[in-house]
Amino acid sequence: MNTKYTYHRLSKDNAAVLLIDHQSGLVNLVQDYSPADFKNNVLALADLAKYFKLPTILTTSFEEGPNGPIMPELKEIHPEADYIPRPGQINAWDNEDFVKAVKATGRKQLLIAGVLTEVCVAFPALSALEEGFEVFVVTDASGTFNEVTRHAAWTRMVAAGAQLMNWIAVASELHRDWRKDIEGLGKLLSSHLPAYRNLITSYLAKKPVA
């Protein structure tokens, strides 16, 4: 039986970003990306959330333990974001304040990233799917021990209905049309992609001076 697919695009009016457990201790466990690449990807997601004015929720798990504090740059980029330090719940969705904050956004599309992919991302992603949210896992802003555990987590989430995207795909789908803001999107991309910086620099150099 053929079932017609409906393409539900990400919408800046219906999406929220959940940054889960990007903590100083936990990021040391990330081995499927280099430390520099991973940090760049996480900050790119945080920056695009700010650029598109998406509600953003920051949460940590057991900060006083080995997981450590949140990456300070995330609070710097989103000083007004809801920040929920969970006392112990491994699945963020088991924390009442976190779920209240998510639902208070009024958004049904959740962009989720975190550490570890198979735990801190997968558990709330599956929980949110169960409650009827559309879940988009930002793969390159989520990290884990190795590619085997990463793909196992992806398979589990996709089977439940989650969609996998990287941060540049998220930015592009939200923006829809270059003509909306060429320099704004160009600045966002070039801030995190050195090769793209060269591209946007050559474009601006050719642009007539007003």
Side-chain angles (χ1 to χ4, degrees):
M1 182 178 69
N2 293 327
T3 302
K4 185 179 179 181
Y5 175 74
T6 301
Y7 177 18
H8 293 154
R9 302 185 188 190
L10 281 172
S11 168
K12 62 183 181 180
D13 298 317
N14 196 30
V17 175
L18 313 183
L19 298 176
I20 302 176
D21 300 354
H22 292 96
Q23 295 167 249
S24 61
L26 289 176
V27 295
N28 290 304
L29 302 177
V30 175
Q31 300 295 317
D32 51 340
Y33 297 98
S34 73
D37 285 342
F38 185 65
K39 183 175 183 179
N40 177 67
N41 295 338
V42 173
L43 297 184
L45 177 59
D47 281 341
L48 75 84
K50 182 177 181 179
Y51 174 73
F52 290 107
K53 298 180 174 61
L54 304 181
T56 300
I57 298 171
L58 310 177
T59 185
T60 56
S61 173
F62 196 44
E63 282 191 20
E64 63 272 24
N67 294 348
I70 195 169
M71 291 170 57
E73 295 90 344
L74 296 180
K75 281 189 171 182
E76 291 168 7
I77 295 170
H78 293 283
E80 304 301 323
D82 284 321
Y83 172 60
I84 300 163
R86 308 190 312 281
Q89 298 95 340
I90 294 174
N91 182 350
W93 210 264
D94 290 339
N95 182 279
E96 184 177 350
D97 292 334
F98 178 78
V99 176
K100 282 182 178 179
V102 172
K103 294 182 177 180
T105 69
R107 308 297 178 94
K108 295 298 289 183
Q109 296 179 326
L110 303 181
L111 290 155
I112 302 179
V115 183
L116 296 160
T117 306
E118 66 270 36
V119 178
C120 305
V121 176
F123 294 174
L126 296 170
S127 299
L129 285 164
E130 185 178 24
E131 294 205 25
F133 289 89
E134 285 186 89
V135 171
F136 302 81
V137 175
V138 187
T139 56
D140 53 355
S142 303
T144 186
F145 302 109
N146 54 56
E147 292 188 3
V148 173
T149 55
R150 175 174 71 184
H151 284 282
W154 288 354
T155 299
R156 186 184 189 194
M157 290 185 281
V158 168
Q163 297 184 53
L164 307 182
M165 301 180 73
N166 64 359
W167 73 262
I168 194 169
V170 171
S172 299
E173 190 159 296
L174 288 168
H175 200 64
R176 304 283 177 88
D177 190 325
W178 266 111
R179 293 167 295 182
K180 290 180 178 179
D181 183 8
I182 296 172
E183 294 185 17
L185 183 61
K187 181 179 180 181
L188 171 65
L189 298 183
S190 63
S191 294
H192 296 281
L193 296 171
Y196 207 93
R197 185 178 300 115
N198 295 335
L199 187 153
I200 200 68
T201 298
S202 66
Y203 164 76
L204 294 174
K206 294 178 181 178
K207 188 176 179 182
V209 178

